[in-house]
Amino acid sequence: LATTPELPDPARALLVSGDEHQQLQGSEACLYGILADLVCGLSGPTEEIGFLHFALTERVFISSRRHQLNAIEATRKALRLGAKVQSPAALLELIAGQMIESLDHFADGLADQLDRAEERILADELNVDRKVVGSVRRTTVRLHRQLVTLRSLIQRFEHEIEESENPALNLRTKKLIQRLDWLDTEIVELRDRS
């Protein structure tokens, strides 16, 4: 961190903090913040939520985290398979896109669990595992909370931080907001079903 003089002190502090609240901050030379993602276990995403701390400048992307995160692993895989990023801001967009993709895939698994439980209820089976339904509900409530926060942060960032004079630091927020809206709608539908 000491070798990146263009990072402001708040960005440096955020990278090493234990803070677990999503945020997105910007200055003329730097974007920094904390984003929520699913923790990645040996068999893929878990229900646990982890946090990616990051700071980026025109030339550098620096991140820290306490757990292996699903979007980071998916981003590494995409880069190994040939995905190209033109700037650190584009890398952040790729990571955010991977977060949304992994949450969408995870939501599909939750929907499958609910479908099986609903089928057993409709068949008047007595051994419906109510723990599954309760677990899906708790998970969707937690995911909805994180998605609403992230969408709000991106919208606030979009309104407060005008287009940077440095195009390498601009985020394409409209597409991210659309994808977050769509995913949140899916999560809320799952929550309401459970």
Side-chain angles (χ1 to χ4, degrees), residues 3-151:
T3 61
T4 312
E6 59 267 24
L7 283 182
D9 288 338
R12 291 173 203 271
L14 187 81
L15 284 168
V16 297
S17 78
D19 196 348
E20 293 187 343
H21 298 284
Q22 292 189 92
Q23 52 186 288
L24 188 57
Q25 309 289 331
S27 69
E28 288 184 25
C30 179
L31 298 176
Y32 57 98
I34 300 172
L35 300 178
D37 189 21
L38 295 174
V39 171
C40 187
L42 294 175
S43 60
T46 66
E47 291 182 8
E48 185 180 356
I49 295 175
F51 296 89
L52 173 70
H53 296 231
F54 71 90
L56 64 92
T57 67
E58 182 179 351
R59 294 174 303 201
V60 176
F61 185 96
I62 301 169
S63 68
S64 64
R65 58 198 178 278
R66 292 183 179 178
H67 305 284
Q68 182 177 355
L69 299 176
N70 199 59
I72 299 300
E73 294 308 310
T75 300
R76 279 189 190 135
K77 187 179 214 177
L79 292 171
R80 285 184 189 133
L81 292 174
K84 302 289 183 202
V85 292
Q86 301 300 319
S87 68
L91 179 59
L92 179 61
E93 289 173 14
L94 179 61
I95 291 169
Q98 293 294 343
M99 287 176 176
I100 294 167
E101 285 295 319
S102 66
L103 284 171
D104 182 37
H105 182 69
F106 188 74
D108 289 344
L110 293 174
D112 290 344
Q113 289 178 37
L114 274 180
D115 289 345
R116 287 191 297 276
E118 286 174 346
E119 288 300 320
R120 288 195 303 256
I121 290 169
L122 291 172
D124 286 329
E125 287 185 25
L126 297 176
N127 62 348
V128 175
D129 189 359
R130 301 211 186 277
K131 289 181 182 179
V132 169
V133 176
S135 174
V136 168
R137 180 151 181 88
R138 276 189 308 281
T139 301
T140 55
V141 166
R142 287 175 45 235
L143 291 175
H144 171 66
R145 193 177 313 130
Q146 297 298 333
L147 288 170
V148 166
T149 301
L150 180 57
R151 185 177 60 214

Side-chain angles (χ1 to χ4, degrees), residues 164-187:
S164 171
E165 291 179 13
N166 184 347
L169 295 179
N170 289 332
L171 292 178
R172 295 177 298 190
T173 56
K174 290 191 186 332
K175 183 177 178 183
L176 288 174
I177 290 170
Q178 287 175 340
R179 292 179 71 193
L180 286 167
D181 284 341
W182 173 78
L183 180 59
D184 189 47
T185 299
E186 185 178 339
I187 294 293

